[in-house]
Amino acid sequence: MGYRLSKIYTRTGDKGTTGLGDGRRVDKDSARIEAIGTIDELNCLIGILITQNPPEEIAQLLTGIQHRLFDLGGELAMPGYSVLGDPSVTDLEQHLDRLNAELPPLQEFILPAGNPLAASCHHARAVCRRGERRLTQLARDDNEQVNRTSLKYLNRLSDLLFVIARVLARQNGGEEVYWRKGV
């Protein structure tokens, strides 16, 4: 593989547009670029979560997810290009089922707290949900091409991040913080 970037600044975006992988230029605040940016933000938050030393199994899982999110960003940068397939969704579901089986049934809403790891994971979950909204908005436009599996992937990923946050809240004798009405 050759060099991807030989020069970091190009000045081509100075007028508020950016290039897609197919050569088209689009506004930097277009629905597609908003979706790409949110997926990038999510990937950054997962990276921050990994640096906080979660259990090795979760760190490896999250690292794999970072790679898939990079794939998703590539899909979005190249309209009509698809990388994520049903096996990527199935993989998330299997992790989700396995981790959730170890948790007590949820009897109340929980707050995005518990400990720094759990709170960071909840933050990533919230941004994942925003990414899902951005991708849904983009997919609604008849002129835009979106891999429908990517929507499923983000939906399962937000669920998985919720379950991972629940697991992380219990680390080192910790516990979840339950919502209490009227407090």
Side-chain angles (χ1 to χ4, degrees):
M1 178 189 321
Y3 294 106
R4 295 245 183 226
L5 294 173
S6 58
K7 190 173 183 180
I8 300 303
Y9 67 91
T10 61
R11 296 186 177 107
T12 58
D14 290 351
K15 294 182 180 174
T17 64
T18 192
L20 295 177
D22 62 4
R24 285 187 293 147
R25 297 214 52 92
V26 296
D27 291 334
K28 288 187 177 187
D29 63 352
S30 70
R32 182 167 296 276
I33 299 305
E34 283 291 333
I36 290 171
T38 303
I39 298 307
D40 184 34
E41 182 182 356
L42 171 59
N43 208 338
C44 292
L45 288 172
I46 290 174
I48 290 169
L49 180 59
I50 292 168
T51 68
Q52 296 177 39
N53 299 315
E56 184 60 29
E57 172 194 5
I58 290 176
Q60 288 180 5
L61 174 58
L62 293 172
T63 299
I65 288 167
Q66 282 192 296
H67 287 278
R68 296 301 68 77
L69 290 173
F70 206 86
D71 291 340
L72 175 52
E75 284 186 0
L76 292 169
M78 290 282 298
Y81 176 67
S82 294
V83 177
L84 294 180
D86 289 334
S88 60
V89 175
T90 302
D91 184 56
L92 291 183
E93 290 172 347
Q94 289 170 348
H95 289 294
L96 184 56
D97 291 341
R98 185 179 48 74
L99 290 170
N100 195 48
E102 300 170 7
L103 296 169
L106 198 55
Q107 308 247 334
E108 191 57 77
F109 292 109
I110 60 173
L111 299 179
N115 60 43
L117 273 170
S120 290
C121 197
H122 278 295
H123 188 186
R125 174 195 50 79
V127 172
C128 186
R129 287 283 189 213
R130 180 166 23 101
E132 185 181 5
R133 292 189 304 271
R134 297 292 183 259
L135 199 56
T136 298
Q137 177 187 11
L138 180 65
R140 213 177 279 130
D141 186 333
D142 292 335
N143 297 320
E144 294 288 356
Q145 296 174 315
V146 172
N147 176 2
R148 297 295 175 164
T149 302
S150 298
L151 286 165
K152 292 179 192 176
Y153 185 84
L154 288 179
N155 187 270
R156 293 313 178 286
L157 178 55
S158 62
D159 292 338
L160 178 59
L161 290 170
F162 177 78
V163 168
I164 291 172
R166 293 193 69 205
V167 169
L168 294 173
R170 290 170 166 71
Q171 295 295 300
N172 302 318
E175 56 187 40
E176 294 175 304
V177 178
Y178 295 101
W179 170 73
R180 294 183 325 220
K181 184 177 179 180
V183 172

